Each structure stands twice: as structure tokens, then as C-alpha cells.
């Protein structure tokens, strides 16, 4: 085959690949394909209930809540009329499904009405249980309980009517002589306001998004609706201003930051790689032949990962910028190897270099393919991205350089032997060995810190704004929010009963709590109340007699006895679940956050002041809304899983080297990347740098990369040659690529980039001063 035919065939293959890849990428809906949701980094089928709860919370009211602080032209709180208009504008927009001024008592009134209407279903069972407990403590017998209960209720009513608080309940006392509603109000005292309402306090608006704040539908449309409402209100109230916070603000800022870093990291990475490469190349313009290999590799990686996965996290493409420094390896080695003789055919050269190229590529790809078995979608996606990119890089390099008339790139002479005197090299080798041995003593000092906040994008300004606004809404640091969950509300309520008893035991009964658990009975309490009204049919008569004996007019409590008789005759255990559903449907505004019914989990929210530092036992099915330890423990499990995958992956990589080069030489080759890894981790130990999942992932990636250099160096050592310039260029360009990642403001990307960059530099030093020359003596 003539060169022209070979060139035409090569260009045709590459053009077809580019065209197909470009067509695939152009047809994608990137708003649906690319995700910035941090929860997409975690398995959707995670078996841990706590993480399932977090996923549910991210899509439900808790995360969809937004908080607004409204001010007027003079910076003072805006008027209630302005707040009402602003809330009405938000509520009319499809981006929001609720919005109301915090001075509006509609949500509390709705809860009060529903509880009053369902007082025998919700309030009577708990009242009965508490009175039974008092009766038993007093040493009474079960036979006398109904009569004791009637007189106890009458005495409590007489005492209550003598207090000033009774004036607010005069209208409902005839229907509620058991004081079920006043007791509820006392329990919720100061808890349902959710924000200060005194004169001169800030003007606040609470709103709930219609979509998840982590999706685009919960971000840009919501921000546009807020701006539209602000402009509309400002037309009537000049100087009107809005400050607000919500999960969607953090998510939008995170997405923008990641997209910005995706652009500049990839651009800077390519520039850094090319600058390093051009520093080694005699004719800079010929170095541009390396660029198509890199671009084709990145194209193949993008196409592969978007083809395999329905949704891909944007961090994959940020971390994937490392592929620039890796993909160029095969181009370096193939393009910079001189022919054996002037007449050597290109394909003969490829066959001669096939063993190190295939050994390097396939063992690395095999290691990354093992990441497909990881529990974390992020790691699986990274495995596909990098693995496919490396295969595309090798194929692209082989095909592209077949189209180049002179597929040999001359380099500048940078031999280590020429830079350093021969006598100095042994001393430097000993110094390097001493430093490496010293670093090993840092390994026992290593600590692991798995913190899910490492996935966040730091934003000090947004956090300060969020803390300020939430503080105005009464979000106090000394108050802890607990979430008690179950597969349904009845199971969640049973777990809540255990949790409340645990709180009382740990705090000695001094802790103040607020939540719907105080008004929603357990299924057992509800059934016990039904049995009481049926078995103790004489209780209404006993209560009438006690009321008359206490000086009350029996006829004045007709509404109560009528409702009681209806409950005794028509009440069923099945009413419990339907009543809970009706209660939740009536809850709007902040009160609606106290309970949730749905799949896969339902839950109750409890607010506790001066909560214990202890984590609730697992059987309580309760987590703190700020309980990072639980999520970090889950994240730690992923790290341990990744560790085992990395160990198995390294075993596969090592086995490939042993099969290709034999056990003894394979050990010598594989010792270079492993030694670099141990040295870098030892350095981290001495520096007190806590490690996480992404340091581990970086170490695995670093070993896979640096073993390439060891293989290429071994091939030269067999021929009695020094370290190839292509290895030096490859290592330095990889270090430059990952060094750029180390500049990232995203903690996990910084961890990955710094780990690999240090490993590559360490491996290059090991190769330079112990470049496997001993292998050359054997061949």
C-alpha cells in the first residue's frame, strides 16, 4: 500500500469517527443528560435508609423551601401589604406551589381546625394514655378508672377556667371539656410561629418550590419568578428589596462554578500539556500532530460515557480533563520512537512497539474497567470515561500517525547523563532512597476523613447569607431537627414513640420538643381509645354527674357528648390512616414540613432544644437533619469498597505486567508505581493531610499511569538505552495536567489532582535514578 492510499484510508476512518461522534453529541439534550445534583454521585438504590431519606428530602418540601427577607426604601422592614403582594406573585408563578407571609396565621388556623374536627381521633387517645399513667401512678384500680377520670377531668376544667388563658377558648369549651385543644396549644407554644412576629421584626415570606431545587426547573425559573415579583411590587412600593436563600441558590452556584472550572481546567490543561511538550520538541509546529490524538481521545470518552449512562454528573468532565495528560502518552511513544533504519515501514514500527503499547493500554484499561463494579455511579462513570478515552487514544494515535509522511518527532537532547556528572548520580540515587525510606515512616500517621461536604463547592458569601436569613426565621443553632422515618406513617409514628422515650431518658425529662408526634397518636393508642369508649359505655354518664357535681350546667356540654357518642358508635381503627392523610392535606406553609407521607419513606419532624450529643440508636429510625456523621459513615463504606476494587485492579494490572515480562522483571517494573504511591502517601502522613475516597482514587489512577512509564523504560532498558525522552515528556505533561486539577476550588478534584501529580513526579524521579538499566544487561 502506498503512502497516499494509507493516508486516505486513515483520514477516512478518523473523519467517520469524528462525524459519528459529533452527530451523537449534537443530538443530546444536555440539560437532561448532564447533572450537577450531588445526590447523583450516590447510588439511587442505596440500601441505607438514612441516604434514602436524604434523597427523599432533596425532592420534598424540606429542600424546596425558600426564605425571603423584605425591606423598604429606608432599609426598614417592608409593609405587610408589600409582603402579601410579593407572596401572591410567587404563588401565581408555576415555579412555586406555595408562598405566604410569615405574619399570616392561615397555616396554623388550618392545623387548629383540622385537629379540633378530628380531636377524638388525634387528641383523645394521647390524653387517655396520659391520664391512665397518672391513675396508675396514684395506685388506683382499673375498675375505678372511668369514675376517677370523670372527676379528674372536671377538676382540671375548673382549674383551667380560673386562668386568663381560658378566655381564648370560651367558644370551644362546650365541645371540649376535656381540654384537648388547650393542651395542644400549650405543647406548641412558641413552636408554630417559626419566626418572630413582634412589632419591628423583619418582614418575612416563606415559599415552596414546585420542583426539586437540585434540578434546573427548581433554579432558573424560580429566580426569574422572584425577580418578576420584586419588580412588580417595587412599582407600588419604591425601594422594595428582597434577600433570599434556599437550597437552589447553592445548587445553581455549584453548577455555575463547576461549568466554569470545566472550561478553564480543560483549556489550561491542554495549554500546560502543549507547553511542556513543545519544550522538548525541536520543531514546534510538528508537535501539533499530537493535538488530534488528544482531541479524538476526549471525543471518544464523551461519546462513550454519554452513550452508556442516561445521566452523567458534570464532575466527570471536570475530573476527565486529566485525560489530556494521559491520552498523549501513546502519541508520544509512537511518534517519538525513531525507526530502526531509514527504510522501516510505519506498520513495521507499530508491530515492533505493539507489546509495550498494548501492555500499557490494556492493563490500565483493565484496571479502570474494574471500577464499573463500584457502588458509586461517579466512579463507574469515571471508569468508562477514562477507559474508553485511553482505548480511543491508542487507536487514534496508531491510525493518525499512519497519515503522517514522516512519523518521527525529533526532540531536544535532555539526557540526565549530560546534565549531571556520572559520579553524582549514585549519591543522588542514595539520597532519593533515603528520602523514600523516610517517607514510609509517615504511613502509620495517615488518617482517613470521609466528609460528604467535600462534594460541595465552597461559597462563603452564600453560607453567610443563608445563616443570616435562616436565623431571622428562627433557625437556631441550639435547636436540633430530628427526622424519624418508616415505610409508612404508622411505622414512623411507632418509631417516633421510641425516640421520644429515648429523648426523655437521656435528658432527664428537661428537654423541650415540638412536633406533630405530640398530637398524633400511635396506632396502638388509637386502638386502645376505641376499646375504652366501647367497653366503658358508662363514662359519659359519669362525666355528666361529675360536671354537675362540680357546679357546671350539664346542658352546656351538649356538643361534646354528641360528638363523643358519634365517635363511640362510628369510630373504626381504619380511620387512623385516612385521618392522617386528611391532616397532611390541610397543612400548608412551614407547618406542612412537620410530616411527610410518601414512598419510599414517610417521616415525622421533631424540633428539640438542648438535644443530647449522642446519636439516636439505629432502632429509633431517627437521624438529625444536620447529622453528617451518618452520611460520612456511608461515604466511608464507599471508600472501603473502592479500596478493595483498587487492590483487585492493581492485581490485574500487575498480573498483566508479569505475564508480559516475567515474574522477576515484572516485579522490578511494577515496583516503580507502587513505590511512588507509598512514598506520596507517606508524605501525606508526615504533612498531616487527611485522606478520603478521592485520594484513594487518585492513587489507583497514579499507579495505572506510572506503570506505563515503567513499561516503556523497561523496553528501552532491554536495548541498553537510557530513559526515553517520550517517557519524560509523558510524565511531565501528565504532571502538568493533574497539577492544573490541583488548582481546582472543588475539594475532591483538588485531592485527585494533587495525588496523581505527586505520584507521577515521584515515579519519574525513581525512573531517572533507577531506570531499570539492570534489565538491559540481560538482553
Amino acid at each position: 500500500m502506498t503512502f497516499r492510499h494509507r493516508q486516505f484510508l486513515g483520514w477516512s476512518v478518523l473523519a467517520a469517527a469524528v462525524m459519528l461522534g459529533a452527530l451523537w453529541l449534537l443530538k443530546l439534550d444536555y440539560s437532561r443528560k448532564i447533572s450537577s445534583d450531588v445526590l447523583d454521585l450516590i447510588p439511587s438504590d442505596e440500601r441505607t435508609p438514612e441516604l434514602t431519606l436524604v434523597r427523599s428530602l432533596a425532592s420534598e418540601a424540606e429542600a424546596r423551601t425558600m426564605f425571603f427577607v423584605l425591606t423598604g426604601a429606608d432599609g426598614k422592614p417592608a409593609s405587610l401589604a408589600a409582603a402579601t403582594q410579593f407572596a401572591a406573585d410567587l404563588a401565581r408563578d408555576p415555579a412555586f406551589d406555595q408562598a405566604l407571609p410569615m405574619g399570616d396565621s392561615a397555616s396554623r388556623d388550618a392545623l387548629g381546625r383540622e385537629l379540633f374536627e378530628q380531636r377524638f381521633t388525634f387528641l383523645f387517645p394521647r390524653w387517655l394514655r396520659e391520664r391512665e399513667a397518672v391513675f396508675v401512678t396514684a395506685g388506683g384500680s382499673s375498675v375505678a378508672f372511668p369514675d376517677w377520670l370523670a372527676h379528674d377531668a372536671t377538676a382540671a376544667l375548673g382549674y383551667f377556667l380560673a386562668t386568663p388563658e381560658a378566655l381564648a377558648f370560651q367558644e370551644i369549651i362546650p365541645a371540649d371539656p376535656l381540654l384537648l385543644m388547650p393542651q395542644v396549644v400549650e405543647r406548641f407554644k412558641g413552636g408554630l410561629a417559626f419566626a418572630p412576629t413582634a412589632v419591628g421584626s423583619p418582614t418575612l415570606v416563606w415559599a415552596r418550590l414546585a420542583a426539586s431545587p437540585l434540578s434546573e426547573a427548581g433554579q432558573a425559573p424560580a429566580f426569574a419568578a422572584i425577580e418578576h415579583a420584586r419588580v412588580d411590587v417595587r412599582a407600588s412600593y419604591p425601594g422594595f428589596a428582597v434577600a433570599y436563600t434556599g437550597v437552589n441558590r447553592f445548587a445553581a452556584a455549584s453548577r455555575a462554578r463547576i461549568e466554569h472550572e470545566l472550561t478553564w481546567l480543560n483549556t489550561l490543561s491542554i495549554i500546560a500539556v502543549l507547553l511542556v511538550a513543545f519544550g522538548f520538541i525541536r520543531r514546534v509546529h510538528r508537535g501539533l500532530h499530537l493535538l488530534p490524538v488528544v482531541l479524538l481521545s476526549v471525543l471518544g470518552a464523551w461519546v462513550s460515557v454519554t452513550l452508556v449512562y442516561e445521566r452523567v454528573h458534570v464532575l466527570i468532565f471536570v475530573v476527565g480533563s486529566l485525560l489530556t495528560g494521559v491520552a498523549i502518552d501513546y502519541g508520544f511513544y509512537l511518534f517519538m520512537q525513531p525507526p530502526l533504519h531509514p527504510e522501516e515501514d510505519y506498520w513495521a514500527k507499530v508491530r515492533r512497539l505493539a507489546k509495550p503499547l498494548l501492555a500499557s493500554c490494556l492493563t490500565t484499561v483493565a484496571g479502570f474497567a474494574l471500577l464499573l463494579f463500584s457502588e458509586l455511579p461517579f466512579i463507574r462513570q469515571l471508569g468508562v470515561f477514562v477507559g474508553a478515552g485511553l482505548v480511543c487514544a491508542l487507536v487514534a494515535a496508531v491510525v493518525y500517525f499512519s497519515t503522517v509522511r514522516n512519523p518521527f518527532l525529533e526532540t531536544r537532547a535532555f539526557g540526565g547523563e549530560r546534565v549531571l556528572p556520572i559520579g553524582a548520580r549514585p549519591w543522588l540515587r542514595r539520597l532519593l532512597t533515603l528520602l523514600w525510606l523516610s517517607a514510609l515512616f509517615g504511613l502509620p500517621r495517615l488518617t482517613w476523613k470521609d466528609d460528604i461536604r467535600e462534594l460541595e463547592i465552597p461559597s462563603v458569601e452564600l453560607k453567610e447569607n443563608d445563616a443570616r436569613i435562616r436565623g431571622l426565621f428562627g433557625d437556631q443553632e441550639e435547636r436540633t431537627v430530628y427526622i424519624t422515618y418508616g415505610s409508612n406513617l404508622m411505622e414512623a409514628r411507632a418509631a417516633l414513640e421510641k425516640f421520644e422515650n429515648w429523648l426523655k431518658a437521656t435528658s432527664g425529662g428537661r428537654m423541650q420538643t415540638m412536633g406533630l408526634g405530640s398530637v398524633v397518636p400511635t396506632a396502638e393508642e388509637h386502638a386502645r381509645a376505641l376499646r375504652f369508649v366501647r367497653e366503658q359505655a358508662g363514662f359519659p354518664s359519669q362525666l355528666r354527674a361529675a360536671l354537675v357535681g362540680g357546679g357546671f350546667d350539664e346542658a352546656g356540654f351538649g356538643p361534646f357528648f354528641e360528638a363523643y357518642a358519634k365517635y363511640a358508635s362510628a369510630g373504626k381503627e381504619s380511620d387512623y390512616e385516612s385521618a392522617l392523610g386528611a391532616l397532611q392535606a390541610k397543612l400548608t406553609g412551614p407547618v406542612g414540613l412537620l410530616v411527610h407521607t410518601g414512598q419510599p419513606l414517610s417521616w415525622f419532624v421533631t424540633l428539640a432544644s438542648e438535644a443530647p450529643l449522642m446519636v439516636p440508636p439505629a432502632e429509633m429510625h431517627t437521624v438529625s437533619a444536620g447529622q453528617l456523621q451518618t452520611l460520612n459513615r456511608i461515604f466511608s463504606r464507599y471508600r472501603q469498597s473502592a479500596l478493595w476494587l483498587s487492590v483487585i485492579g492493581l492485581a490485574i494490572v500487575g498480573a498483566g505486567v508479569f505475564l508480559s515480562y516475567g515474574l522477576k522483571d515484572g516485579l522490578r517494573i511494577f515496583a516503580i508505581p507502587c513505590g511512588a504511591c507509598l512514598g506520596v502517601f507517606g508524605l501525606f502522613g508526615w504533612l498531616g493531610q487527611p485522606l478520603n475516597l478521592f485520594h484513594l482514587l487518585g492513587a489507583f489512577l497514579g499507579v495505572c499511569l506510572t506503570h506505563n512509564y515503567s513499561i516503556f523504560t523497561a523496553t528501552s532498558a532491554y536495548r541498553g538505552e537510557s530513559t526515553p525522552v517520550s517517557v519524560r515528556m509523558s510524565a511531565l505533561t501528565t504532571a502538568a495536567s493533574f497539577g492544573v486539577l490541583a488548582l481546582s476550588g472543588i475539594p475532591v478534584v483538588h485531592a485527585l489532582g494533587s495525588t496523581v501529580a505527586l505520584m507521577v513526579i515521584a515515579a519519574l524521579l525513581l525512573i531517572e535514578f533507577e531506570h531499570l538499566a539492570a534489565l538491559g544487561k540481560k538482553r
Side-chain angles (χ1 to χ4, degrees), residues 99 135 141-142 201 211 233 293 311 322 325 344 467 505 508 557 570 616 749 751 758:
F135 177 72
S141 64
S142 60
S201 60
V233 176
V293 175
R311 279 177 69 79
L322 60 87
E344 185 182 30
F557 297 99
V749 177
L758 288 173

Side-chain angles (χ1 to χ4, degrees), residues 140-156:
S141 64
S142 60
V143 176
F145 175 65
D147 185 60
W148 176 90
L149 184 63
H151 286 84
D152 178 73
T154 300

Side-chain angles (χ1 to χ4, degrees), residues 213-554:
L214 302 179
S215 66
E216 287 191 0
Q219 297 172 19
F223 302 146
I226 294 168
E227 179 61 20
H228 177 269
R230 185 191 68 82
V231 172
D232 181 55
V233 176
R234 192 162 189 169
S236 304
Y237 301 91
F240 177 79
V242 180
Y244 64 93
T245 189
V247 174
N248 56 348
R249 288 202 68 183
F250 287 92
S254 175
R255 184 183 183 93
R257 176 72 174 274
I258 290 175
E259 290 175 347
H260 172 71
E261 293 217 3
L262 175 62
T263 301
W264 80 263
L265 282 178
N266 279 280
T267 302
L268 189 58
S269 180
I270 291 176
I271 292 174
V273 167
L274 293 179
L275 286 177
V276 172
F278 292 161
F280 281 81
I281 299 170
R282 286 179 181 272
R283 300 176 182 176
V284 173
H285 69 279
R286 281 181 58 79
L288 294 175
H289 282 299
L290 296 168
L291 192 57
V293 175
V294 175
L295 296 179
L296 286 167
S297 171
V298 173
L299 175 64
W302 272 71
V303 169
S304 298
V305 76
T306 54
L307 193 62
V308 172
Y309 295 102
E310 183 177 352
R311 279 177 69 79
V312 182
H313 199 276
V314 68
L315 267 182
I316 294 299
F317 305 106
V318 178
V319 177
S321 60
L322 60 87
L323 193 60
T324 303
V326 182
I328 206 169
D329 285 3
Y330 307 118
F332 279 151
Y333 194 67
L334 193 60
F335 197 24
M336 300 175 70
Q337 284 291 323
L340 287 179
H341 48 81
E343 290 78 24
E344 185 182 30
D345 180 68
Y346 171 76
W347 291 110
K349 176 182 176 181
V350 170
R351 288 191 292 272
R352 174 168 57 86
L353 301 177
K355 180 179 178 180
L357 284 172
L358 289 175
S360 169
C361 179
L362 296 182
T363 53
T364 304
V365 170
F368 274 95
L370 198 67
L371 298 183
L372 299 179
F373 296 97
S374 171
E375 294 180 274
L376 284 177
F378 173 80
I379 294 181
R380 293 198 298 268
Q381 292 172 10
L382 186 63
V384 170
F385 189 90
V386 177
L390 291 178
V391 172
C392 292
L394 178 58
V395 174
V398 171
V399 175
Y400 178 77
F401 288 117
S402 70
T403 68
V404 178
R405 183 174 294 278
N406 177 21
F408 172 58
L409 182 64
E410 293 185 82
T411 60
R412 306 179 195 274
F414 288 124
E417 294 84 350
R418 301 180 185 180
V419 175
L420 296 172
I422 295 178
R425 291 180 64 83
W427 288 101
L428 287 174
R429 186 182 295 118
R430 294 187 186 103
L431 177 61
L432 183 63
T433 302
L434 181 61
L435 291 175
W436 180 77
L437 291 173
S438 300
L440 294 184
F441 287 98
L443 293 175
R445 301 169 62 89
L446 282 176
T447 58
W448 296 91
K449 182 182 178 182
D450 297 291
D451 192 340
I452 199 165
R453 288 173 294 182
E454 294 286 320
L455 299 175
E456 298 178 351
I457 311 299
S459 179
V460 176
E461 183 180 349
L462 283 181
K463 288 182 178 179
E464 291 177 349
N465 177 70
D466 183 74
R468 179 181 68 85
I469 294 177
R470 288 180 182 272
L472 294 176
F473 275 78
D475 190 355
Q476 306 165 4
E477 291 186 4
E478 63 270 16
R479 189 169 65 178
T480 304
V481 180
Y482 289 103
I483 303 169
T484 305
Y485 58 88
S487 59
N488 53 55
L489 270 185
M490 289 189 290
E491 185 178 310
R493 183 59 187 88
L496 180 59
E497 185 71 11
K498 298 178 183 177
F499 172 64
E500 289 179 337
N501 292 334
W502 177 81
L503 276 181
K504 291 177 183 177
T506 54
S507 66
R510 296 185 302 273
M511 185 186 308
Q512 294 182 346
T513 62
M514 197 280 291
L516 289 184
S518 62
V519 297
V520 176
T522 64
E524 292 76 14
E525 289 172 347
H526 176 67
R528 171 71 182 89
L530 285 174
R531 288 196 302 271
F532 174 85
V533 298
R534 290 168 185 165
E535 294 172 358
Q536 305 296 333
F539 175 69
S541 300
Q542 292 169 310
L543 181 59
R544 282 190 180 95
L547 288 171
V548 171
F552 294 100
D553 182 5
E554 173 191 346

